Amino acid sequence: MRPATINRRGFRLILTALLSSLTSCGSATDRTLEEIFEQSYPIEPTANVTIRNGDGAIFVYGSPANEIRVRAIKKAYTYERLKQIVINVSAQPGSVSIETNFPKKQTWGLFDRLGSGQMFEHNCFSDATFSLGRGTIALTYEWWEQSKFSIRADITHGNALAFLPSDAAFHLTAEAVDGKIASDFAEQDERSAEGISKVDTLVRNGGDVTIKMHVTEGNIKIVEANP
């Protein structure tokens, strides 16, 4: 999984990562072991946050506080492999770097690590860049703030989704190189058109928000969450 970078403006970022390294040839009754990593770090409102995770899902939430709380759930079939999953956090007032390290992949036999994952962003009104090799990126907003920020989502293989409220104002630029784009905010004739792969439009005159989405192989969907 490629990194996600967020520039904060007065929001606490709560990162929840679901990390797994589940290699087993045992019976179906094997029990999954879990271990929780949870720490909080002070951070400045304009600090940059960089996240690099090889496998698993990442959830990023925003809320008003000058700290970042990192919560990771590690999963494995054996205690040895569980301990080999390491979360490295480097926290400074102006920047935070979070990186996960996993056991080396086996060169033989069956293993379940496929180098894919998911990213979920929820109500984050800050500059953010999300980059993913294979999987799904979902941006979700339950309300809209009239502030200035930009969101960029890049994915090589997979789908990119954005759920935005009806009163959202933003400049949308989206491209699906080998795929299609569907947007509830598009004009009626554009909604019915087939095979749209590139969009550059202002929604409610654009405001001060820029949303850029790029998918190499896959689709992009922009949903009006509360029409």
Side-chain angles (χ1 to χ4, degrees):
M1 184 179 293
R2 297 177 183 176
T5 303
I6 304 101
N7 178 266
R8 297 178 59 260
R9 288 199 181 99
F11 286 88
R12 176 178 61 187
L13 295 179
I14 304 174
L15 165 69
T16 300
L18 306 179
L19 316 174
S20 62
S21 178
L22 307 173
T23 301
S24 175
C25 292
S27 67
T29 60
D30 286 341
R31 299 295 184 111
T32 302
L33 303 176
E34 291 188 5
E35 184 177 283
I36 296 178
F37 171 93
E38 188 165 7
Q39 294 288 339
S40 296
Y41 307 90
I43 190 173
E44 293 178 348
T46 57
N48 289 326
V49 180
T50 300
I51 306 164
R52 294 182 176 90
N53 181 42
D55 285 273
I58 293 178
F59 302 83
V60 179
Y61 304 89
S63 65
N66 290 325
E67 68 172 10
I68 179 171
R69 180 161 62 89
V70 181
R71 186 176 190 269
I73 303 174
K74 304 190 297 182
K75 296 183 179 182
Y77 283 130
T78 67
Y79 181 78
E80 180 182 0
R81 291 186 68 82
L82 189 68
K83 289 302 180 183
Q84 290 176 334
I85 304 174
V86 179
I87 297 94
N88 294 318
V89 180
S90 177
Q92 303 294 330
S95 65
V96 175
S97 175
I98 304 167
E99 185 171 3
T100 58
N101 293 324
F102 291 86
K104 292 183 179 180
K105 294 181 180 180
Q106 296 179 357
T107 57
W108 56 269
L110 299 175
F111 55 89
D112 66 342
R113 291 181 57 208
L114 305 177
S116 61
Q118 296 177 311
M119 288 184 177
F120 300 92
E121 177 267 307
H122 187 222
N123 295 335
C124 183
F125 300 93
S126 304
D127 294 341
T129 300
F130 303 93
S131 183
L132 181 63
R134 182 183 299 273
T136 301
I137 296 178
L139 313 175
T140 304
Y141 290 86
E142 296 176 336
W143 71 87
W144 199 249
E145 293 190 1
Q146 302 302 323
S147 56
K148 184 177 181 179
F149 64 95
S150 65
I151 301 291
R152 182 179 179 91
D154 295 290
I155 182 169
T156 304
H157 303 282
N159 298 318
L161 308 170
F163 299 89
L164 305 170
S166 300
D167 60 348
F170 55 94
H171 179 193
L172 172 67
T173 58
E175 182 178 12
V177 178
D178 187 9
K180 298 180 180 180
I181 299 175
S183 174
D184 291 345
F185 294 92
E187 298 295 333
Q188 194 61 40
D189 57 341
E190 293 179 347
R191 297 188 192 187
S192 59
E194 296 184 359
I196 295 178
S197 61
K198 186 178 294 187
V199 172
D200 189 340
T201 185
L202 297 177
V203 177
R204 292 182 175 272
N205 296 322
D208 293 322
V209 178
T210 300
I211 298 177
K212 296 182 179 180
M213 308 179 78
H214 184 274
V215 174
T216 303
E217 184 177 341
N219 301 316
I220 297 174
K221 176 67 174 178
I222 313 296
V223 178
E224 188 177 2
N226 300 303

